[in-house]
Amino acid sequence: MKIPVPRRLVSISLLFAAFLLVDLAGFGWWIVHSLSQRNLEEVLFETRKEARSLAQQIQGQAERKGQDLFTAVAAERETQTYIDSVLRQRDIIETVEVRDRQGVVVLRSRRETQIPLSAPPGFSGSPPETPAHVESRAFESESTYDVTVPIGELGELYVGVSRSQLEGRVAVLRKDLTRQATAIGAFTLAILLAAFAAMYWLWKRGVRLEQQATEAERMAYVGTLASGLAHEIRNPLNSLNLNMQMLEEELPPAEQGASRRLLTLTRSEIGRLDGLVTDFLSYARPRPPDLEEVAALHLLEHTSAVMASEAEGRGIRIQIVDRSGAARVRVDRAQIHQALLNLIRNAFAAMEGSGRAARLTLSAERVGAHKIALEVADNGVGLTVAQRQRMFDVFFSTKKGGTGLGLAIVQRIARAHSGEVEVASEPGEGTRMRLLLPAARGVN
């Protein structure tokens, strides 16, 4: 029997899954953004650290020799060599400038070209190759990140970090981080889905065990009741039935009209009570199935032969269809025969008064690789949704005079064979009852 999933559980699961996806997406974005920003800050920190080291070097040179900033820079070849090395090795450095206290550019180097400047008036040394003018803060662009470090009281060292290069690095890093975060998120989601599946399986198993426990408790109660009823009622019923039969035989011919009908009616009611006690015992005290391998079609043919006389009397045509490919099942022949009889009797009752020619179809069909379905289909009045929900409940019956145990017995027999019962029915369109049983091993 299929276990319906509560809507509240589905809603809570979907809300949790949506919250988890949003949380994973937000956390991934925060990680990528934070690491990208941290990488940017680390690059600027390293650049500032290098610029501070170079500024201290220039300041030390000027202080040792008592030179001004221009002279110290022009005389210190290591400064120019260091700057050229930085520009060659670090493609993110676009510009390096040395400026005096007035903001005059003493030295400028770019990644593409080197631009030494002319010496100021009074400089006696050999000036480097320079243009004819001195620029003041000539390079200001939105394409760089500015790093400025003071050179003591002499001026400042300016380093321009290329935005495009640095942001390109950050973009590559962000892409890698996004890919890794996506992989981690997918892995985490897969684990959570597996956890959901495990929880759902455990929940279904718990519900099934609870149902089995409830059914076992109910069967124990019914068994106790049935045992008491069997001893207290069955023997008197047999005695009454025998006495009624003897009275019927001893009636004089002149009184065989109304009296015989009363006796027959009384014996019928006694038989119905005896059948009720038998159903109680059958449901409450099931015996373990005695399994044997038998052809699925043979089970239908045997049951059809047993019910043929009653079907003819009711004007019902029985048709047998084999779609199982001569498949075999391993079952208790007597119990499956009882289950099929219960289903057929219910079908007979459903087709009474339907207003059309009664037709019953018995079919055997393979379902998947490991199951065989024995189906009883009628064209009777059908079942409503409420009736389908309660049809396997003990003592629930839509049949006049029914005990409400027939389908419960069918379900118990199916479960004892590791099978299940399926139903498809609509009001006015008939009912299809399927007894799903495991196929015998070795059946192809």
Side-chain angles (χ1 to χ4, degrees), residues 289-296 299 327-333 336 370 372 413-414 416-419 437-441 443:
D290 183 14
L291 301 178
E292 61 176 309
E293 192 172 311
V294 60
L299 294 171
R328 300 176 70 82
V329 290
R330 187 171 175 78
V331 297
D332 185 308
R333 191 191 299 257
I336 298 301
H370 306 290
I372 303 297
I413 292 174
H417 287 78
S418 300
L437 300 171
R441 291 185 179 181
V443 177

Side-chain angles (χ1 to χ4, degrees), residues 23 54 61 92 113 121 184 240 252 265 339 342 372 382 432 435:
D23 186 63
L54 179 58
Q61 172 69 20
I92 62 172
T113 59
I184 293 173
L240 286 173
L265 179 62
N342 289 354
I372 303 297
R432 292 170 54 238
L435 185 61

Side-chain angles (χ1 to χ4, degrees), residues 10-298:
V10 174
S11 301
I12 293 175
S13 300
L14 291 176
L15 286 175
F16 180 76
F19 170 78
L20 185 62
L21 289 175
V22 172
D23 186 63
L24 284 175
F27 181 72
W29 176 88
W30 178 77
I31 288 292
V32 171
H33 179 75
S34 299
L35 292 180
S36 300
Q37 186 65 27
R38 183 174 180 181
N39 181 261
L40 176 63
E41 292 174 354
E42 286 181 353
V43 170
L44 294 178
F45 175 78
E46 291 295 329
T47 302
R48 185 176 291 104
K49 184 178 178 181
E50 292 178 354
R52 186 177 295 112
S53 175
L54 179 58
Q56 291 174 353
Q57 181 180 346
I58 297 173
Q59 181 183 359
Q61 172 69 20
E63 290 176 351
R64 284 195 303 272
K65 297 184 179 181
Q67 299 171 340
D68 59 15
L69 186 59
F70 188 91
T71 306
V73 172
E76 183 59 59
R77 299 300 302 175
E78 292 181 4
T79 301
Q80 184 65 57
T81 302
Y82 179 79
I83 293 174
D84 291 342
S85 174
V86 170
L87 292 173
R88 285 195 302 270
Q89 295 178 9
R90 302 188 65 189
D91 56 354
I92 62 172
I93 304 299
E94 186 169 306
T95 304
V96 178
E97 293 181 356
V98 179
R99 303 168 180 165
D100 62 12
R101 285 177 295 180
Q102 286 73 35
V104 177
V105 178
V106 176
L107 175 67
R108 174 191 296 161
S109 291
R110 291 191 183 183
R111 190 172 61 249
E112 299 84 6
T113 59
Q114 179 180 323
I115 309 175
L117 302 177
S118 59
F123 177 68
S124 58
S126 299
E129 297 178 5
T130 62
H133 60 281
V134 177
E135 299 183 32
S136 175
R137 298 186 180 275
F139 185 76
E140 294 181 3
S141 172
E142 294 182 355
S143 63
T144 60
Y145 291 97
D146 298 337
V147 177
T148 304
V149 177
I151 309 176
E153 300 294 333
L154 301 176
E156 64 181 12
L157 175 64
Y158 164 82
V159 180
V161 182
S162 173
R163 284 182 180 271
S164 60
Q165 293 291 334
L166 186 54
E167 290 176 356
R169 285 189 179 186
V170 172
V172 172
L173 176 63
R174 186 180 291 114
K175 184 177 180 181
D176 291 340
L177 290 173
T178 301
R179 183 167 55 250
Q180 294 174 9
T182 302
I184 293 173
F187 179 70
T188 304
L189 188 61
I191 292 178
L192 289 171
L193 288 176
F196 269 120
M199 290 174 61
Y200 175 71
W201 179 82
L202 290 174
W203 173 79
K204 285 185 63 178
R205 186 171 181 270
V207 172
R208 191 178 295 110
L209 291 175
E210 184 179 356
Q211 290 178 344
Q212 292 175 358
T214 302
E215 183 178 357
E217 182 180 356
R218 180 175 58 191
M219 288 178 63
Y221 172 76
V222 174
T224 303
L225 178 63
S227 298
L229 287 174
H231 290 290
E232 297 296 330
I233 298 178
R234 204 165 198 180
N235 290 335
L237 286 179
N238 289 335
S239 297
L240 286 173
N241 191 35
L242 181 61
N243 291 335
M244 292 295 175
Q245 184 177 359
M246 293 175 61
L247 285 174
E248 186 177 2
E249 292 174 354
E250 292 177 0
L251 281 176
E255 298 183 6
Q256 288 188 359
S259 298
R260 184 177 295 276
R261 285 196 300 271
L262 289 174
L263 288 174
T264 302
L265 179 62
T266 303
R267 290 183 59 195
S268 174
E269 290 299 309
I270 292 174
R272 187 178 68 83
L273 291 176
D274 184 68
L276 177 60
V277 173
T278 302
D279 284 347
F280 265 121
L281 290 174
S282 177
Y283 180 78
R285 290 186 171 182
R287 60 175 178 80
D290 183 14
L291 301 178
E292 61 176 309
E293 192 172 311
V294 60
L297 181 62
H298 176 74

